[in-house]
Amino acid sequence: QVQLVESGGGSVQAGGSLRLSCVASGGTSSTACMGWFRQAPGKAREGVAAIHEFGSTRIADSVKGRFTISRDNAKNTLYLQMNSLKPEDTAMYYCAAEIGVCSSPPLLSSYYFESWGQGTQVTVSS
């Protein structure tokens, strides 16, 4: 099992930016796909962005053009650069990893991700 630790959340005003990080350790040094999911109070968890180890990405329509996902395989670290944040982006953001075979680009479904971090809170005020 891979351990995932997120950081970088916080409170910002609308239009601001944040960069989330997620460090993977233990289990295996290779994570085929990694992704970011979010869950707002009273809402279902939704996929935000995912990236294959060879670089292909999938971005949710709701954040396309504002969020960018990237990874540093040498550092086992996943990033989510969030720009032009909106109040509706307020949620707990979770990092997830899939160790086995995954599609390229990855599917934005929690079903395909087996390891999860504890989450980092992002709050955007208007």
Side-chain angles (χ1 to χ4, degrees), residues 3 6-7 10 13 47 67 73 77 80 106 109 115 121-122:
Q3 287 78 51
E6 304 99 332
S7 62
Q13 291 191 326
F67 291 11
N73 292 334
T77 302
L80 184 68
S109 170
S115 297
Q121 178 68 38
V122 172

Side-chain angles (χ1 to χ4, degrees), residues 67-85:
F67 291 11
T68 302
I69 188 170
S70 62
R71 64 188 290 174
D72 185 333
N73 292 334
K75 296 181 178 180
N76 292 325
T77 302
L78 177 72
Y79 303 99
L80 184 68
Q81 179 66 44
M82 305 186 294
N83 298 328
S84 302
L85 283 161

Side-chain angles (χ1 to χ4, degrees), residues 27-56:
T28 178
S29 61
S30 175
T31 50
C33 287
M34 298 187 77
W36 291 99
F37 291 76
R38 67 185 183 186
Q39 188 167 20
K43 294 187 176 181
R45 185 173 296 188
E46 64 171 338
V48 176
I51 184 168
H52 191 276
E53 64 179 325
F54 297 134
S56 62

